[in-house]
Amino acid sequence: MANPKHRHSKSRRDKRRTHKHLQAPSLTLCPQCQEVKKPHHACMSCGTYNSREVVTVQQI
Amino acid sequence: MRHACAGRQFGRNTGHRKALLRMLVTALLKNEKIETTVAKAKEIRPLAEKMITLGKRGDLHARRQALSFIQDEIVVRGLFVDIAPRFAARNGGYTRIVPTRQRMGDAAPMAVIELVERQKKEAAASKTEAKQKS
């Protein structure tokens, strides 16, 4: 079985991990209420998608 | 390799999965709009549209075929006399899926699936909202 010949330093380990990070979600503005929403999803603040009501939002 | 294994399994065995899909299609045709997970909505879409096609055929054999899948005779009656005529001018594309939110608890992506020619007021939606309030 192949085995590592040399130990990697902390620096090399951490350099490998520099690409490992969370991605910010892509977001768009709702054309109806200008609220931030996910693209291709119904807007959960006004309940519409393509200016059609999808969900009825409870008024608080 | 997972070639030629179309469809989702939903972590259920065949009977359980078939019952789930029949239940969801029946609920969709009954309420005309339901909220479920995106995966389940995508899986029931072709089944529900096939039921509407059966309704448009309207003959006795089609009715029996629909009854063999839909779990509620009243829903089949509604499908044949009420829903199917609304789609007479449309060839397919009877349902609409709109992704909505992530479910609390397991963060499952949820979607609303509804009949494109919807008339019924939403009773199911108000029930889920009552749940969300409590």
Side-chain angles (χ1 to χ4, degrees):
Chain A
M1 281 277 272
N3 270 322
K5 191 161 213 151
H6 294 292
R7 177 194 146 85
H8 261 189
S9 65
K10 281 182 238 174
S11 162
R12 288 202 170 216
R13 180 201 66 198
D14 293 347
K15 275 195 285 187
R16 179 172 64 244
R17 292 181 186 171
T18 55
H19 295 286
K20 192 178 172 184
H21 54 81
L22 295 176
Q23 295 279 323
S26 60
L27 293 171
T28 55
L29 289 182
C30 169
Q32 206 82 11
C33 65
Q34 307 301 320
E35 198 68 45
V36 177
K37 73 173 192 73
K38 282 184 181 176
H40 309 292
H41 281 60
C43 171
M44 293 319 276
S45 69
C46 66
T48 60
Y49 184 71
N50 271 351
S51 49
R52 192 184 282 123
E53 184 171 339
V54 180
V55 269
T56 33
V57 178
Q58 284 282 308
Q59 298 295 326
I60 305 151
Chain B
M1 277 179 285
R2 202 178 180 280
H3 290 170
C5 296
R8 299 168 177 83
Q9 299 186 332
F10 295 123
R12 289 157 168 89
N13 60 37
T14 308
H16 188 182
R17 179 168 58 244
K18 196 179 168 195
L20 168 81
L21 297 173
R22 288 175 66 181
M23 176 277 287
L24 284 170
V25 170
T26 306
L28 173 62
L29 295 173
K30 186 177 179 182
N31 300 304
E32 308 201 351
K33 177 175 182 176
I34 57 174
E35 187 184 34
T36 179
T37 63
V38 172
K40 285 177 192 136
K42 286 186 175 177
E43 202 69 9
I44 65 170
R45 164 177 250 174
L47 300 171
E49 302 207 348
K50 278 177 185 109
M51 289 302 120
I52 294 174
T53 305
L54 287 177
K56 287 171 75 173
R57 253 170 58 198
D59 52 12
L60 181 61
H61 183 51
R63 188 178 285 263
R64 283 178 178 160
Q65 283 177 304
L67 278 166
S68 75
F69 188 78
I70 296 170
Q71 294 167 326
D72 190 342
E73 285 179 30
I74 299 162
V75 172
V76 174
R77 195 177 307 139
L79 167 67
F80 275 67
V81 300
D82 180 29
I83 295 174
R86 281 185 245 157
F87 291 98
R90 210 180 273 270
N91 294 316
Y94 306 134
T95 57
R96 173 187 299 128
I97 296 175
V98 182
T100 52
R101 65 196 174 99
Q102 300 217 304
R103 182 160 63 192
M104 292 288 285
D106 63 353
M110 302 296 281
V112 161
I113 178 167
E114 63 180 343
L115 302 184
V116 175
E117 306 279 351
R118 184 163 63 88
Q119 282 177 349
K120 254 182 210 168
K121 284 273 159 259
E122 18 199 301
S126 59
K127 204 170 75 182
T128 50
E129 269 162 28
K131 256 186 239 162
Q132 280 170 351
K133 265 168 91 182
S134 58

